[in-house]
Amino acid sequence: MSLFNGIRPFYPHDRTSFIFAITLLVVILVFLVFTLTLFIILPGIRGKGRVYSFCRIILSLFVGVIIVVVNFTGDWEVGFARVTTIYKAFSNETITAKVGLHIGLAGINVTLRGIPENQLNETIDYNENFLWRFTLNYDEQYNNGLNRGLPHPILYVAEKFQSKSPCLIHDQYRFSGHYATAMMWVAFCAWIVTNILFSMSTIVYGGYMALVTSAFMIFGVISFATVQNVSPCIIQFGPATLKTNFSGSFWLTLATALLCFILGVIVIVMDHCIPEKLRTFFMLNGEEDDDNEMNNGLINHTFTDEYGNALHLKNIKNGFENKDFVVYT
């Protein structure tokens, strides 16, 4: 079928059900493997060190997985609206549905779910991605959606984020997402350095790097928050308006940044006030423990005591034999 007078007709097509993001799944599986590996090693640690190691493992993996995962999530900004609107282009048939807009660092996700799902003799349950990564062209993806004949509500929302849209929000969201992603990856590198320093004798520098990690995460949050400086684009469906607000990934990133800041401050303060307890928590007083263990368990004190007593008696005996006696008459 060709275009009619430059108008794209609605093309029926086979829809596929929503599949969990492969990249996000791979990231979660990698961190699960690390977690299981460290938990297998954990029983080999004795005493209180096992509890300390458990706390450090949980904290380290939690912060690390949050920093990485939020780069691939689509809920930095979310909005929903219940609407009654036309379903297909150039058609008078209307549906009642819930339209959702999920904005992430890499693009947007638009959902359309019928209320009820079965309307007009078909199941209305759509989930479409439109990405603006460096290697992807958002406008081209939007045109592909037109060619595929996506429902009108999805195309209407996606059209607002086109580069040539009168809303002028495409560039702001795109560059904000790019800068936020860059800040998050730098924060992840800083967090790796933090964990390395925590395993060395200079623990306080690990605290400083935790503050650096927190700073870059906050920079990422601020980078994305700059989209609020743009005039809001009204997404109107009759009397209903689709509005978005900061959501899960945004607040989770901010909370994790504050957690890293608190961790860094605690480490720095403890290093100045009670360094012995800090070294105990990070299990860096191993040399003293090894010396105590050597003195208490590896040396046979019975043998050394008997050998010392025998040597002492021998020295006394030799002293009497060598002594010159003077006899007076």
Side-chain angles (χ1 to χ4, degrees):
M1 181 180 291
S2 60
L3 296 178
F4 180 75
N5 292 334
I7 299 175
R8 299 178 183 271
F10 184 89
Y11 288 86
H13 61 281
D14 297 329
R15 289 178 288 125
T16 57
S17 59
F18 174 71
I19 302 175
F20 191 77
I22 300 299
T23 305
L24 193 58
L25 179 62
V26 170
V27 171
I28 293 175
L29 289 177
V30 168
F31 277 92
L32 284 178
V33 170
F34 275 112
T35 304
L36 293 176
T37 303
L38 294 173
F39 280 171
I40 291 174
I41 300 174
L42 200 59
I45 303 175
R46 296 172 298 177
K48 294 182 179 180
R50 183 181 305 170
V51 178
Y52 297 154
S53 298
F54 176 80
C55 295
R56 295 200 310 272
I57 290 172
I58 293 299
L59 179 61
S60 176
L61 291 177
F62 172 77
V63 174
V65 73
I66 293 300
I67 294 175
V68 176
V69 166
V70 293
N71 287 283
F72 305 101
T73 56
D75 59 342
W76 282 71
E77 193 173 345
V78 174
F80 294 95
R82 177 168 177 159
V83 303
T84 299
T85 181
I86 60 173
Y87 179 49
K88 301 178 180 181
F90 314 110
S91 173
N92 294 325
E93 295 178 328
T94 62
I95 60 170
T96 300
K98 183 179 182 180
V99 179
L101 173 59
H102 307 257
I103 305 175
L105 302 182
I108 67 171
N109 176 269
V110 186
T111 60
L112 178 67
R113 176 169 295 182
I115 305 176
E117 290 188 6
N118 294 319
Q119 300 182 50
L120 305 179
N121 297 323
E122 65 174 289
T123 300
I124 301 175
D125 188 9
Y126 287 83
N127 192 312
E128 298 293 333
N129 286 320
F130 301 91
L131 305 178
W132 50 56
R133 292 195 184 102
F134 285 111
T135 57
L136 299 176
N137 188 308
Y138 182 92
D139 293 340
E140 182 178 345
Q141 294 178 70
Y142 174 77
N143 292 331
N144 291 336
L146 288 174
N147 293 328
R148 291 167 51 200
L150 292 178
H152 170 72
I154 292 180
L155 294 176
Y156 173 68
V157 175
E159 182 184 9
K160 299 294 184 178
F161 291 85
Q162 273 192 299
S163 60
K164 298 180 180 180
S165 171
C167 289
L168 301 177
I169 59 176
H170 174 270
D171 290 340
Q172 183 65 41
Y173 273 100
R174 181 170 175 264
F175 288 112
S176 296
H178 290 338
Y179 286 125
T181 299
M183 293 296 100
M184 297 306 296
W185 283 116
V186 174
F188 181 68
C189 295
W191 183 244
I192 293 177
V193 176
T194 301
N195 285 272
I196 295 174
L197 293 174
F198 279 157
S199 62
M200 302 172 64
S201 59
T202 54
I203 307 175
V204 66
Y205 294 107
Y208 293 140
M209 285 306 299
L211 296 181
V212 173
T213 303
S214 173
F216 278 107
M217 294 182 69
I218 293 176
F219 290 156
V221 169
I222 294 175
S223 297
F224 186 82
T226 55
V227 297
Q228 298 297 321
N229 296 329
V230 182
S231 300
C233 183
I234 300 176
I235 304 178
Q236 194 79 29
F237 292 92
T241 303
L242 178 59
K243 297 180 179 180
T244 59
N245 297 293
F246 294 133
S247 188
S249 293
F250 180 89
W251 297 116
L252 185 60
T253 303
L254 182 59
T256 307
L258 296 178
L259 176 63
C260 291
F261 176 80
I262 294 173
L263 173 63
V265 172
I266 291 175
V267 170
I268 295 172
V269 172
M270 289 185 66
D271 183 76
H272 286 82
C273 299
I274 45 176
E276 297 81 10
K277 292 186 178 181
L278 182 64
R279 293 178 65 86
T280 301
F281 179 79
F282 285 96
M283 300 176 63
L284 294 178
N285 53 354
E287 295 180 359
E288 298 177 1
D289 293 342
D290 291 341
D291 293 340
N292 294 332
E293 184 178 2
M294 179 68 72
N295 294 329
N296 296 328
L298 298 181
I299 298 178
N300 190 334
H301 292 282
T302 302
F303 172 78
T304 55
D305 292 341
E306 292 178 354
Y307 178 77
N309 293 333
L311 182 61
H312 181 65
L313 293 174
K314 183 178 179 181
N315 292 333
I316 294 175
K317 182 178 179 181
N318 292 336
F320 279 110
E321 291 178 352
N322 296 330
K323 184 177 181 180
D324 295 332
F325 293 94
V326 180
V327 178
Y328 297 91
T329 58

